[in-house]
Amino acid sequence: TADYLELKKLPMTASYHGADIELSAPYMAEMVRSDLLQRYGERIYTDGFKAYATVRSVDQQAANQAIEQGLMAYELRHGYRGAEQQFDPLLPQSELIDKLRQVPRYGSLEPAVVVGIVDQKPSAAQSEAQQTVAPVVATLLLRSGELVEINWDAISWARPFISVSQRGAPPAAVADVLALGDQVRLLQTDAGWQLRQLPQVQSAIVALAPKNGAVRALVGGFSFQQSKFNRVIQGTRQPGSNFKPFIYTTALASGFTPASIINDAPVVFEDKNLESSWRPENYSKKFYGPTRFREALYRSRNLVSIRILRSMGVEPTLEYLSRFGFDPARMPNNLSLALGSADVTPMELATGYAVFANGGYKIEPYWLERVEDRRGEVLFQASPVTVCDGCVYVAQQEVGLEAPVLVSNAVSSSVADTDKEVADELQATITHLPLAPRIVDAQSAYLITNIMQDVIKRGTGTKAKKLGRNDLAGKTGTTNDLKDAWFSGFNSGLVASVWVGFDQPQTLGRSEFGSVAALPIWIDYMAKALEGAPEQSMVPPEGIVSVRIDPITGLLAYPGQKDAIFEMFREQDVPRSAAVKKATSTDSVTSEELF
């Protein structure tokens, strides 16, 4: 009909309608979807449910950027593997665009094809003033149809990849890096478009609120579209020295002090649980002799950790470690436990570190906050175990409630009073969240945190000093052959763990320690997640004192000792004798103190 023919001439305005994605958190979204499916079945796809996660947008965006920047930095350190594929450069531009649109976009990396090359680079003799506008060296086509130009600085990093520990010579010309028809990846930066490549290495980060376990940010890999394997909760790897704080916490609870002296010296272990004799080493291949407990942790001395574990016994240590929630089936029953040979996930490590951050309480991570039906009625509300500073249990018979609850100290002294005004005040201060159980005594939790602050102040994590905060603590971790790199760190308001490695374990390459590969990602995340947040330094619990000691022997400083240092102790653990003036590394040290 005439109406049909007229309408057919009108432009097509229909488009796919769907919810706009306000925040990119695909790994978290999949975790929430999986939880909902288990709770409500297939109804979640048809009944209009609304699910609210615990993530914070600022934290999640910071985590997304930190992972991408960290893996891009790793790629820049290890060389260029070349184009992903080769297109016929003589194809019409429309056909090149069609081919590009079939190439997935991962993260911020944009697929592009080289369509023009000027084989030159800036002369080294040119003055800085002459190079204010760098000459174009290549033109690339994006799948949007846009043509973009890049200069020499955008590709000068691209030394040929030979292995993870070796690169070829720096490129001398554009042809050493690019050819017409190369399908490559570009990243848009403040300096313009830059040549990049898809990382083969992977990373994961998870951040928790240490007082209740709420997941504030989670990234399970470089790109969910590229790999849906969630390395935060599914990737079990060895943590290396990132696990040592748990061993040292066990030691503090067993009677060690931050000033205990342990001998860092060669040793051969004949362990019935090992197939052969074991000759562990420090990474430096050096031995440092009698070493204070504190220094051994912040300098990550392997032999000291092993001697500490041997003095406590593996079985008692495993029993204590189970408090943190580590799976005993994945804990080795031998002295390699001291070096982090267990299998853990980033989520498990972050949950364990939360115990240090909150003063000694066990929390459980959770990410589903609330579920509502289509009418807005609440179907589910999270009720996480929660750390409540200064709260006490109030028995049900004392306040006439149905179950024990938490009441603040401000009114706990009036519990025995049955006055109606007091009862009303109690009801007003009640929180119905379950109390997080204490698993580490307050003094041990404070001491291990204080020592881990030295990891950042003077140990393997000093790069984190750039954050300009005094309330941060943490620990690096690097496994044998540099296969896994870790950093876990916290203050009392936020804890985060970062892992970097290959899905199929292999070395990350020369010098790729936890402080190089993982710590910068943690720093980038925390810089944004803690921006504007006041410092939250831990307050020493009752029974902790600071005294001057001799740094060599760990004994009390002698009168007038100029090189004396302050150390933290439980009151009952303060050394009873003083060092001898002009003591050597062995003076005043008894054989019982050399564990």
Side-chain angles (χ1 to χ4, degrees):
T1 65
D3 289 343
Y4 168 76
L5 294 175
E6 285 298 317
L7 290 172
K8 191 175 180 181
K9 296 177 182 178
L10 296 176
M12 178 66 72
T13 59
S15 63
Y16 175 78
H17 175 71
D20 292 332
I21 297 177
E22 299 177 0
L23 178 67
S24 177
Y27 289 99
M28 170 61 71
E30 173 56 23
M31 290 164 64
V32 170
R33 186 201 66 83
S34 179
D35 277 6
L36 293 175
L37 189 62
Q38 289 184 12
R39 291 174 183 273
Y40 306 108
E42 299 292 330
R43 295 171 53 202
I44 64 172
Y45 302 121
T46 59
D47 287 12
F49 288 1
K50 289 184 179 179
Y52 296 84
T54 59
V55 294
R56 295 188 300 206
S57 59
V58 170
D59 293 56
Q60 184 63 39
Q61 289 168 352
N64 292 342
Q65 293 172 7
I67 288 287
E68 186 167 281
Q69 291 170 1
L71 294 184
M72 290 295 99
Y74 175 91
E75 292 295 322
L76 292 178
R77 291 194 295 271
H78 291 270
Y80 184 55
R81 294 186 298 274
E84 291 182 26
Q85 56 183 321
Q86 185 74 22
F87 294 150
D88 183 351
L90 299 179
L91 287 175
Q93 190 174 108
S94 59
E95 290 190 34
L96 287 175
I97 292 173
D98 288 341
K99 288 183 176 294
L100 278 174
R101 287 175 177 169
Q102 297 175 35
V103 178
R105 184 179 189 269
Y106 297 132
S108 300
L109 295 178
E110 189 71 40
V113 61
V114 180
V115 294
I117 287 179
V118 180
D119 200 3
Q120 65 177 12
K121 71 171 185 176
S123 168
Q126 284 181 294
S127 68
E128 184 175 333
Q130 290 174 314
Q131 294 187 41
T132 53
V133 179
V136 172
V137 298
T139 302
L140 295 97
L141 175 68
L142 304 181
R143 59 182 179 175
S144 64
E146 180 185 0
L147 290 171
V148 298
E149 297 175 331
I150 61 174
N151 57 35
W152 177 255
D153 289 341
I155 65 172
S156 60
W157 66 271
R159 296 169 61 177
F161 173 88
I162 297 175
S163 73
V164 289
S165 296
Q166 186 178 4
R167 293 180 296 170
V174 181
D176 293 338
V177 180
L178 300 175
L180 292 175
D182 278 0
Q183 187 262 295
V184 298
R185 299 277 171 167
L186 296 181
L187 178 68
Q188 192 165 29
T189 70
D190 293 340
W193 290 98
Q194 304 287 312
L195 177 69
R196 293 294 185 266
Q197 64 188 352
L198 283 177
Q200 293 182 345
V201 69
Q202 282 289 350
S203 184
I205 183 172
V206 58
L208 307 175
K211 291 192 175 181
N212 65 3
V215 175
R216 296 308 188 195
L218 184 147
V219 182
F222 175 73
S223 168
F224 185 77
Q225 289 71 32
Q226 183 185 34
S227 169
K228 294 177 174 54
F229 181 70
N230 189 338
R231 294 152 189 87
V232 168
I233 59 175
Q234 296 174 303
T236 56
R237 302 296 281 265
Q238 292 184 346
S241 296
N242 211 225
F243 197 75
K244 286 178 181 176
F246 302 106
I247 302 294
Y248 279 67
T249 302
T250 308
L252 288 170
S254 302
F256 280 79
T257 77
S260 293
I261 302 296
I262 306 96
N263 200 14
D264 183 1
V267 65
V268 177
F269 290 108
E270 300 289 349
D271 192 324
K272 64 181 180 181
N273 294 306
L274 298 174
E275 294 181 359
S276 60
S277 298
W278 184 36
R279 294 174 172 81
E281 298 177 323
N282 293 319
Y283 181 80
S284 66
K285 310 295 184 183
K286 298 179 181 178
F287 306 100
Y288 299 89
T291 304
R292 281 181 293 115
F293 183 98
R294 174 185 292 271
E295 185 178 8
L297 180 56
Y298 76 70
R299 295 195 186 280
S300 205
R301 299 276 169 78
N302 288 341
L303 290 170
V304 172
S305 303
I306 292 167
R307 289 177 184 270
I308 289 173
L309 176 56
R310 186 176 66 166
S311 72
M312 296 186 297
V314 174
E315 290 293 342
T317 301
L318 286 171
E319 183 178 349
Y320 192 91
L321 292 176
S322 66
R323 301 182 181 192
F324 292 91
F326 296 118
D327 184 356
R330 289 189 268 123
M331 297 287 110
N333 191 17
N334 57 58
L335 293 171
S336 71
L337 178 68
L339 305 185
S341 62
D343 290 324
V344 298
T345 65
M347 182 69 86
E348 290 170 330
L349 269 185
T351 303
Y353 270 76
V355 177
F356 308 137
N358 65 34
Y361 297 92
K362 178 70 170 68
I363 52 90
E364 295 293 339
Y366 76 102
W367 46 88
L368 185 59
E369 185 70 55
R370 187 173 78 257
V371 180
E372 297 176 358
D373 65 14
R374 68 176 63 188
R375 295 180 297 275
E377 294 183 9
V378 177
L379 301 178
F380 166 80
Q381 178 67 54
S383 181
V385 294
T386 302
V387 177
C388 182
D389 294 329
C391 287
V392 295
Y393 268 122
V394 178
Q396 55 186 9
Q397 64 270 21
E398 293 177 314
V399 292
L401 299 173
E402 296 180 357
V405 295
L406 302 178
V407 179
S408 72
N409 274 344
V411 297
S412 61
S413 60
S414 303
V415 167
D417 197 329
T418 57
D419 185 270
K420 183 179 185 302
E421 182 179 348
V422 173
D424 291 342
E425 188 177 6
L426 285 170
Q427 290 283 357
T429 59
I430 287 170
T431 171
H432 295 279
L433 295 172
L435 179 66
R438 176 174 286 285
I439 62 169
V440 175
D441 68 272
Q443 294 172 339
S444 295
Y446 176 81
L447 290 173
I448 194 66
T449 296
N450 185 263
I451 294 172
M452 280 194 282
Q453 287 180 330
D454 273 356
V455 172
I456 291 174
K457 292 176 181 177
R458 55 181 60 87
T460 56
T462 53
K463 288 180 181 177
K465 290 196 293 186
K466 68 182 292 185
L467 293 172
R469 301 182 67 100
N470 295 310
D471 60 344
L472 299 176
K475 185 69 185 75
T476 51
T478 311
T479 61
N480 284 347
D481 300 323
L482 287 77
K483 291 181 180 178
D484 300 277
W486 296 83
F487 189 84
S488 297
F490 59 91
N491 70 359
S492 60
L494 189 65
V495 57
S497 286
V498 175
W499 165 83
V500 177
F502 288 95
D503 284 339
Q504 299 300 319
Q506 66 179 70
T507 181
L508 287 163
R510 185 169 49 244
S511 300
E512 291 290 349
F513 309 108
S515 59
V516 174
L519 177 56
I521 295 174
W522 185 88
I523 291 172
D524 287 346
Y525 166 71
M526 291 297 251
K528 295 178 180 177
L530 295 179
E531 187 175 8
E535 290 194 0
Q536 303 182 38
S537 299
M538 289 184 70
V539 178
E542 185 177 351
I544 293 291
V545 296
S546 177
V547 300
R548 293 173 72 249
I549 66 166
D550 171 38
I552 301 298
T553 65
L555 301 177
L556 293 175
Y558 57 80
Q561 183 170 352
K562 294 182 179 180
D563 64 345
I565 61 174
F566 282 97
E567 185 53 273
M568 299 282 189
F569 293 91
R570 299 182 183 88
E571 285 181 333
Q572 66 271 24
D573 293 335
V574 173
R576 293 183 293 275
S577 57
V580 177
K581 191 173 183 179
K582 296 182 181 179
T584 67
S585 60
T586 55
D587 285 342
S588 303
V589 184
T590 67
S591 60
E592 288 77 19
E593 290 167 332
L594 288 172
F595 291 99

